């Protein structure tokens, strides 16, 4: 999560660094030890604060901004209300697939 926050601070953010940090973070969140309510909520809260609910990131394509927004809005439902997270395509598995498709 720290790597992602640092990568997002670039002006403009380095897409390769952001993509790599997203994939690493989401790969952790899909593991049994990473997929906890505490980890998903902490990730969502940190990104909500970092993104300040931005729908666009200067220097990043729309698919990056959409992924960051989704990670900062319903990721917390992954454990407590999985059907909600699935509906919003915000489970760690769904987000990881999207992160792998970023270019």
């Amino acid at each position: 999560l720290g790597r992602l926050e640092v990568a997002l601070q670039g002006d403009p953010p380095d897409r390769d660094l952001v993509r790599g940090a997203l994939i690493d973070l989401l790969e952790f969140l899909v593991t049994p030890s990473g997929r906890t309510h505490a980890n998903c909520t902490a990730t969502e809260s940190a990104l909500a604060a970092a993104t300040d609910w931005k729908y666009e990131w200067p220097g990043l394509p729309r698919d990056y901004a959409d992924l960051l927004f989704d990670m900062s809005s319903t990721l917390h439902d992954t454990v407590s209300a999985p059907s909600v997270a699935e509906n919003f395509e915000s489970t760690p598995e769904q987000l990881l697939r999207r992160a792998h498709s970023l270019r």
Side-chain angles (χ1 to χ4, degrees):
L1 183 57
R3 280 187 49 226
L4 178 57
E5 290 174 330
V6 169
L8 289 170
Q9 292 174 6
D11 187 23
D14 182 309
R15 278 195 260 185
D16 291 334
L17 292 177
V18 172
R19 182 179 183 272
L22 280 167
I23 289 171
D24 287 348
L25 174 58
L26 291 165
E27 284 179 345
F28 170 69
L29 291 177
V30 301
T31 66
S33 61
R35 188 189 184 90
T36 66
H37 183 71
N39 287 338
C40 290
T41 301
T43 298
E44 179 181 317
S45 296
L47 287 175
T51 62
D52 194 26
W53 295 98
K54 292 180 185 178
Y55 289 94
E56 295 182 24
W57 281 87
L60 287 178
R62 182 66 186 199
D63 52 348
Y64 281 74
D66 289 345
L67 181 60
L68 290 166
F69 176 77
D70 288 345
M71 288 178 71
S72 69
S73 58
T74 52
L75 182 60
H76 72 277
D77 289 318
T78 294
V79 175
S80 61
S83 62
V84 173
E86 287 174 18
N87 184 54
F88 287 96
E89 305 231 356
S90 294
T91 67
E93 293 80 9
Q94 291 168 318
L95 294 165
L96 180 59
R97 279 192 296 276
R98 290 170 58 192
H100 277 292
S101 71
L102 296 172
R103 297 290 167 228

